[in-house]
């Protein structure tokens, strides 16, 4: 089995505050992992750091992506190497249509892979089915990126982008928040469709509901900047019942 | 890498239109006096009324002071050091067909992406090519003439249609209007003239391409467009100049007249040489552009993309004289290095039920200085006038600046005037979002800036919207550290 991601004893400060305090996490190719944990425990910090967001100070530890040191890489290099982050709060880009944005992104990647760039027409026919499978209306592709999108539309749009870019490591930060019940099913089957033996998926979620439909290989609990417990999908059920209180002080 | 690193710093890029054409020119000795004006008028074989108008304008100009109310700063201009006329020698006996045009000139325009050969021309675009002080050739004249459309150089219009020129010249921008308008009236050498007859929808885009080539010359052109009743025309102007380390003056006047029910759309893609990273060289672009919605229900729309020039000073305006007239101004102005732009518009509401829209997008990078200056004036008789103005500024560095000076004068209580303004930077969140999808910093910024300008680009004719986007990309190249 190939190791996709290896995080060792990672400590990260943000604005002089310790946020991550010794995170250890290994994901093999083809595995689906879920991270759960209370608000403010550092889940988004971890995934943003993996995607290369500026402003964090790594004070100790290491991150290897497919065996290579990830931390010196620029965000766009990580993206081209196959890391995708579905944002907890997708960003608006006024004046740029969703279709143009994604065509530009896809072509940046295709150039990197020495493939011919895709024309607008080809891009539209290439992506039409994907959008449809996620219940995204055609009109949404022509609207400016995330501007005026409903919460659920934004999340489905993130997954749509992931389908287009076909990453090898997909990180989804609360892709299930703000989705109605039907949309949750749609999104879950979208994620399942992207599960392959080569692709790894790391999902941050607060709800066991998503994990019913996208069954993870591992569930981790993050508290106070550490992974304090790791288990199977049953752990998610247990958390749903008991909350996090009983874990206080665990893993110290 | 700290959080602001991607947006700071500035590297210069080279100006790709900066080449000089080697061509023998007939250039007038520098200096300005009544004799200069007589020589220009004689060279152009002008009728008496033109010379008199020029001389009156010149005498008036002598009584004026150079304006200093705008926010741009520059060394005093020595008007005696400028040559006021320069024409390629081959033009002595004006060419009448493409075969007679100097191949050097054709090559110059081809290099600028403006093929003048009608067989190779952009589909649906007729071009008047102005090189230094004169118009070299106007394409598709015959085709247009079949519908009664006159599209020619100003000099030709003065000779062939003196009655139209005499009737409309200075009727929108009188020579007394301002310092640079007076100077232009005295010494203007050429430009484009266009007349669309009643009820005709001009079947092609009309365009003028201005090129300054000679050193130490000024370009003073004048454009006059008349849209007769219920006619329609879309017009585009483009400009470039060689890269030189001295400043050159460009003081143009554009007059638009829209009669009853007529519509004029005037677009500008201005890419004069902006000067280098240290602020050396570049064009001083002091321009007076005004449209007169003279007839009821007429419409005039100005769209401009201003990326060049060391200094831009222009306020394309609309006089909403007729009832139910509509004026629009849409602008993207980019300043970087040491460029300065003081630009905006005036909407003068005179008629009843008139409406105007102002949309200004200013982008500043490096040490660029960008000011929007706009006047919305609603006169007492302008019942139910409406104006909506939106001025947005985008800052790409910590050393640039943006200012908004909206002046509003309302003399009629039924008026609705709305003004919105914003100043923003590209957010780290937007940048990170784009980069996470695989775009590098430059591509990300260019995409976000394009989005910022979208509402204006949308108003440009298709081919030119593509050009404008490319131009913006090139303009911002290296603006991000
Ligand atoms: N921009 C910021 N400025 C200051 N503190 C921040 C910022 N972003 C995150 N933090 C702090 O870092 C800590 C971890 O935040 P993070 O967003 O990683 O939590 P999370 O586990 O994703 O929470 P949630 O479940 O609410 O999304 C929190 O204490 C948060 O307040
Ligand atoms: Mg979070």
């Amino acid at each position: 089995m190939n190791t996709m991601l290896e995080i060792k004893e990672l400590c990260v400060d943000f604005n002089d505050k310790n946020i991550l305090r010794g995170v250890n996490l290994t994901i093999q190719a083809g595995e689906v992992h879920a991270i759960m944990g209370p608000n403010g425990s550092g889940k988004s910090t971890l995934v943003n750091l993996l995607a290369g967001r500026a402003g964090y100070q790594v004070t100790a530890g290491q991150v290897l992506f497919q065996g290579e040191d990830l931390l010196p890489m620029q965000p766009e290099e990580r993206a081209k190497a196959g890391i995708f982050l579905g944002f907890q709060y997708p960003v608006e880009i006024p004046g740029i249509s969703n279709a143009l944005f994604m065509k530009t992104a896809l072509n940046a990647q295709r150039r990197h892979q020495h493939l011919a760039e895709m024309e607008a027409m080809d891009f539209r026919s290439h992506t039409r089915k994907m959008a449809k499978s996620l219940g995204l209306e055609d009109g949404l592709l022509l609207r400016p990126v995330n501007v005026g999108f409903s919460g659920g539309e934004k999340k489905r749009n993130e997954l749509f982008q992931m389908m287009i870019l076909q990453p090898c490591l997909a990180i989804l930060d609360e892709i299930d928040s703000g989705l109605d019940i039907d949309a949750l099913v749609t999104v879950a089957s979208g994620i399942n469709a992207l599960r392959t033996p080569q692709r790894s998926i790391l999902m941050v979620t607060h709800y066991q509901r998503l994990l019913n439909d996208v069954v993870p290989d591992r569930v981790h609990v993050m508290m106070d900047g550490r992974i304090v417990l790791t288990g199977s999908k049953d752990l998610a059920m247990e958390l749903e019942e008991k909350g996090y209180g009983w874990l206080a002080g665990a893993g110290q | 890498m700290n959080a602001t690193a991607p947006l700071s710093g500035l590297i210069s890029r080279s100006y790709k239109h900066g080449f000089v054409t080697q061509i023998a020119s007939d250039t007038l000795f520098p200096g300005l006096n009544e004799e200069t004006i007589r020589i220009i008028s004689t060279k152009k074989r002008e009728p008496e009324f033109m010379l008199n108008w020029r001389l009156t304008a010149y005498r008036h100009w002598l009584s004026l002071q150079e304006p200093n109310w705008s926010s741009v700063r520059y060394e005093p201009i020595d008007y005696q050091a400028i040559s006021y006329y320069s024409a390629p020698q081959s033009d002595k006996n004006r060419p009448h067909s493409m075969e007679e045009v100097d191949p050097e000139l054709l090559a110059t325009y081809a290099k600028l992406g403006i093929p003048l050969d009608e067989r190779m021309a952009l589909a649906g675009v007729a071009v008047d090519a102005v090189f230094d002080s004169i118009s070299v050739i106007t394409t598709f004249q015959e085709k247009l003439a079949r519908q009664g459309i006159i599209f020619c150089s100003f000099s030709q219009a003065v000779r062939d249609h003196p009655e139209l020129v005499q009737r409309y010249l200075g009727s929108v921008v009188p020579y007394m209007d301002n310092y640079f308008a007076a100077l232009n009236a005295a010494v203007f050498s050429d430009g484009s003239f266009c007349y669309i007859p009643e009820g005709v929808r001009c079947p092609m885009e009309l365009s003028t391409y201005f090129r300054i080539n000679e050193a130490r010359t000024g370009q003073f052109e004048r454009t006059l467009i008349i849209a007769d009743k219920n006619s329609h025309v879309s017009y585009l102007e483009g400009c470039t100049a060689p890269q030189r380390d001295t400043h050159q003056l460009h003081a143009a006047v554009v007059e638009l007249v829209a009669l009853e029910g007529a519509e004029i759309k005037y677009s500008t893609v201005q890419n004069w040489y902006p000067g280098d990273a240290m602020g050396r060289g570049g064009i001083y672009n002091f321009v007076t552009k005004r449209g007169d919605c003279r007839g009821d229900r007429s419409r005039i729309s100005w769209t401009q993309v201003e990326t060049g020039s060391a200094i831009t000073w222009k306020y394309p305006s609309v006089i909403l004289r007729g009832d139910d007239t509509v004026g629009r101004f849409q602008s993207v102005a980019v300043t970087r290095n040491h460029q300065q732009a003081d630009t905006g518009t005036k909407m003068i509401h005179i008629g009843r039920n008139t409406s105007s829209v102002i949309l200004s997008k200013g982008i500043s990078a490096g040490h660029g200085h960008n000011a929007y200056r706009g006047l919305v004036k609603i006169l007492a008789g302008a019942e139910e006038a409406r104006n909506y103005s939106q001025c947005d500024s985008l800052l790409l560095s910590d050393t640039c600046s943006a200012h908004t000076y909206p002046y509003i004068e309302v003399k009629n209580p039924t008026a609705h005037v709305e003004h919105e303004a914003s100043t923003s930077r590209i957010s780290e969140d937007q940048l990170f979002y784009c980069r996470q999808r695989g775009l590098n910093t430059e591509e990300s910024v260019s995409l976000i800036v394009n989005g910022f300008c979208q509402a204006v680009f949308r108003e440009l004719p298709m081919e030119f919207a593509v050009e404008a986007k490319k131009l913006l990309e090139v303009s911002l190249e290296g603006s991000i550290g």
Side-chain angles (χ1 to χ4, degrees), chain A residues 187-222:
Chain A
V187 163
S189 55
I191 301 174
N192 280 328
L194 287 165
R195 270 179 102 150
T196 70
Q198 291 77 38
R199 178 173 296 131
S200 306
I201 301 177
L202 175 62
M203 302 186 295
V204 173
T205 180
H206 285 296
Y207 308 106
Q208 183 266 338
R209 180 76 173 78
L210 174 71
L211 306 183
N212 263 349
D213 295 340
V214 184
V215 181
D217 297 293
R218 291 265 188 294
V219 175
H220 309 276
V221 181
M222 180 171 267

XYZ file of all heavy atoms in Angstrom, chain A residues 187-222:
286
model
N -24.728 14.589 -2.302
C -23.314 14.844 -2.065
C -22.598 13.550 -1.673
O -21.505 13.260 -2.170
C -23.139 15.944 -0.989
C -21.728 15.941 -0.420
C -23.455 17.309 -1.587
N -23.227 12.774 -0.811
C -22.607 11.518 -0.381
C -22.367 10.606 -1.576
O -21.289 10.022 -1.720
C -23.492 10.829 0.655
N -23.355 10.510 -2.479
C -23.125 9.602 -3.600
C -22.084 10.194 -4.546
O -21.330 9.459 -5.183
C -24.431 9.251 -4.321
O -25.079 10.414 -4.713
N -22.018 11.536 -4.584
C -20.949 12.178 -5.360
C -19.579 11.796 -4.818
O -18.668 11.465 -5.575
N -19.442 11.822 -3.507
C -18.146 11.465 -2.906
C -17.839 9.989 -3.154
O -16.731 9.630 -3.543
C -18.134 11.763 -1.390
C -18.396 13.257 -1.137
C -16.801 11.346 -0.764
C -18.549 13.629 0.328
N -18.849 9.160 -2.954
C -18.635 7.722 -3.181
C -18.194 7.440 -4.614
O -17.355 6.576 -4.854
C -19.904 6.939 -2.859
C -20.041 6.728 -1.354
O -19.029 6.602 -0.650
N -21.271 6.714 -0.856
N -18.773 8.198 -5.546
C -18.410 7.992 -6.949
C -16.940 8.329 -7.187
O -16.328 7.847 -8.130
C -19.304 8.845 -7.846
N -16.401 9.187 -6.313
C -15.002 9.592 -6.493
C -14.033 8.698 -5.713
O -12.828 8.903 -5.735
C -14.832 11.049 -6.062
C -15.445 12.070 -7.029
C -15.574 13.435 -6.381
C -14.615 12.164 -8.302
N -14.590 7.738 -4.991
C -13.706 6.823 -4.246
C -13.054 5.857 -5.212
O -13.734 5.159 -5.945
C -14.522 5.995 -3.250
C -14.658 6.639 -1.906
C -15.488 5.769 -1.008
N -14.624 5.040 -0.075
C -15.037 4.686 1.150
N -16.260 4.948 1.556
N -14.219 4.051 1.950
N -11.738 5.827 -5.223
C -11.023 4.857 -6.057
C -9.878 4.306 -5.213
O -9.536 4.897 -4.182
C -10.416 5.509 -7.321
O -9.336 6.363 -6.901
C -11.427 6.320 -8.107
N -9.271 3.230 -5.632
C -8.156 2.659 -4.857
C -6.940 3.587 -4.819
O -6.049 3.405 -3.995
C -7.813 1.371 -5.619
C -9.026 1.064 -6.440
C -9.681 2.361 -6.744
N -6.890 4.580 -5.730
C -5.739 5.477 -5.744
C -5.977 6.751 -4.945
O -5.057 7.391 -4.475
C -5.381 5.902 -7.182
C -4.829 4.805 -8.065
C -5.942 3.885 -8.558
O -7.047 4.321 -8.869
N -5.648 2.593 -8.597
N -7.261 7.133 -4.840
C -7.558 8.449 -4.267
C -7.846 8.346 -2.774
O -8.582 7.456 -2.351
C -8.770 9.039 -4.980
C -9.207 10.394 -4.448
C -10.301 11.003 -5.298
N -9.812 11.269 -6.646
C -10.445 10.911 -7.754
N -11.588 10.272 -7.701
N -9.917 11.197 -8.924
N -7.259 9.267 -2.004
C -7.565 9.315 -0.573
C -8.474 10.504 -0.301
O -8.394 11.524 -0.995
C -6.283 9.485 0.237
O -5.360 8.477 -0.116
N -9.331 10.323 0.702
C -10.261 11.395 1.038
C -10.211 11.641 2.542
O -10.253 10.700 3.332
C -11.709 11.029 0.604
C -11.744 10.784 -0.917
C -12.690 12.139 1.000
C -13.097 10.352 -1.452
N -10.077 12.930 2.895
C -10.085 13.311 4.304
C -11.261 14.257 4.510
O -11.318 15.320 3.890
C -8.765 14.005 4.662
C -8.632 14.576 6.077
C -8.745 13.477 7.131
C -7.300 15.315 6.230
N -12.224 13.821 5.346
C -13.417 14.639 5.533
C -13.480 15.153 6.954
O -13.320 14.388 7.897
C -14.675 13.803 5.276
C -14.736 13.176 3.901
S -16.326 12.348 3.628
C -16.256 11.039 4.818
N -13.729 16.444 7.106
C -14.008 16.999 8.424
C -15.516 17.096 8.527
O -16.163 17.619 7.618
C -13.382 18.400 8.572
C -13.832 19.038 9.887
C -11.865 18.320 8.498
N -16.081 16.552 9.592
C -17.544 16.644 9.724
C -17.956 16.684 11.188
O -17.215 16.262 12.078
C -18.252 15.468 9.016
O -19.666 15.614 9.183
C -17.822 14.129 9.585
N -19.146 17.227 11.411
C -19.702 17.229 12.765
C -20.771 16.150 12.922
O -21.259 15.920 14.007
C -20.338 18.596 13.066
C -19.317 19.655 13.338
N -18.478 19.607 14.418
C -18.996 20.789 12.675
C -17.691 20.672 14.422
N -17.982 21.403 13.362
N -21.180 15.562 11.794
C -22.352 14.691 11.864
C -22.061 13.290 11.388
O -21.425 13.073 10.361
C -23.499 15.294 11.049
C -23.750 16.721 11.431
C -23.371 17.759 10.601
C -24.337 17.015 12.669
C -23.569 19.078 10.971
C -24.536 18.330 13.051
C -24.151 19.362 12.198
O -24.336 20.649 12.577
N -22.627 12.368 12.131
C -22.457 10.968 11.820
C -23.224 10.616 10.537
O -22.883 9.683 9.827
C -22.961 10.178 13.039
C -22.822 8.704 12.984
C -24.111 8.096 12.468
O -25.173 8.726 12.550
N -24.013 6.902 11.928
N -24.237 11.439 10.220
C -25.123 11.179 9.084
C -24.355 10.959 7.775
O -24.612 10.011 7.040
C -26.079 12.370 8.952
C -27.083 12.297 7.829
C -28.217 11.333 8.170
N -29.270 11.400 7.151
C -29.221 10.835 5.958
N -28.157 10.161 5.604
N -30.229 10.943 5.120
N -23.383 11.844 7.517
C -22.600 11.729 6.282
C -21.843 10.397 6.262
O -21.731 9.751 5.225
C -21.616 12.899 6.168
C -20.629 12.851 5.001
C -21.347 13.103 3.672
C -19.517 13.883 5.169
N -21.350 10.004 7.447
C -20.501 8.812 7.520
C -21.295 7.516 7.364
O -20.734 6.461 7.133
C -19.715 8.811 8.838
C -18.914 10.101 9.079
C -18.116 9.989 10.371
C -17.984 10.392 7.907
N -22.628 7.636 7.509
C -23.485 6.495 7.189
C -23.427 6.185 5.707
O -23.445 5.032 5.287
C -24.942 6.849 7.502
C -25.338 6.319 8.860
O -24.598 5.524 9.455
N -26.477 6.757 9.336
N -23.411 7.247 4.921
C -23.460 7.089 3.465
C -22.074 6.972 2.849
O -21.884 6.267 1.866
C -24.205 8.274 2.841
C -25.674 8.299 3.264
O -26.170 7.233 3.693
O -26.298 9.365 3.190
N -21.120 7.716 3.403
C -19.739 7.575 2.932
C -18.984 6.896 4.070
O -18.522 7.543 5.001
C -19.098 8.950 2.625
C -17.706 8.751 2.043
C -19.964 9.751 1.677
N -18.885 5.606 4.006
C -18.339 4.865 5.145
C -16.820 5.017 5.208
O -16.109 4.647 4.275
C -18.728 3.372 5.056
C -18.169 2.614 6.264
C -20.239 3.242 4.980
N -16.323 5.605 6.297
C -14.879 5.862 6.387
C -14.107 4.632 6.853
O -14.653 3.771 7.545
C -14.803 6.970 7.439
C -15.991 6.757 8.308
C -17.062 6.103 7.473
N -12.831 4.591 6.482
C -11.960 3.538 6.992
C -11.538 3.858 8.424
O -11.319 2.965 9.225
C -10.714 3.422 6.102
C -11.083 3.021 4.681
O -11.554 1.889 4.497
O -10.943 3.870 3.768
N -11.390 5.132 8.720
C -10.962 5.561 10.057
C -11.723 6.819 10.460
O -11.996 7.681 9.623
C -9.476 5.961 10.043
C -8.488 4.851 9.836
C -7.973 4.341 11.186
N -6.881 3.407 10.984
C -7.016 2.214 10.390
N -8.183 1.844 9.916
N -5.972 1.417 10.249
N -11.996 6.914 11.750
C -12.570 8.146 12.301
C -11.628 8.649 13.395
O -11.211 7.870 14.259
C -13.974 7.895 12.885
C -14.505 9.159 13.564
C -14.928 7.441 11.786
N -11.266 9.941 13.299
C -10.378 10.528 14.316
C -11.132 11.589 15.084
O -11.978 12.283 14.525
C -9.167 11.201 13.657
C -8.451 10.334 12.676
N -7.496 9.417 13.052
C -8.563 10.228 11.323
C -7.038 8.792 11.965
N -7.676 9.266 10.901
N -10.773 11.719 16.348
C -11.349 12.802 17.139
C -10.245 13.801 17.437
O -9.184 13.436 17.962
C -11.934 12.286 18.469
C -12.536 13.459 19.250
C -12.972 11.217 18.200
N -10.490 15.059 17.079
C -9.519 16.100 17.394
C -10.057 16.952 18.522
O -11.209 17.373 18.524
C -9.252 16.967 16.162
C -8.248 18.077 16.456
S -7.704 18.954 14.977
C -6.263 18.090 14.548
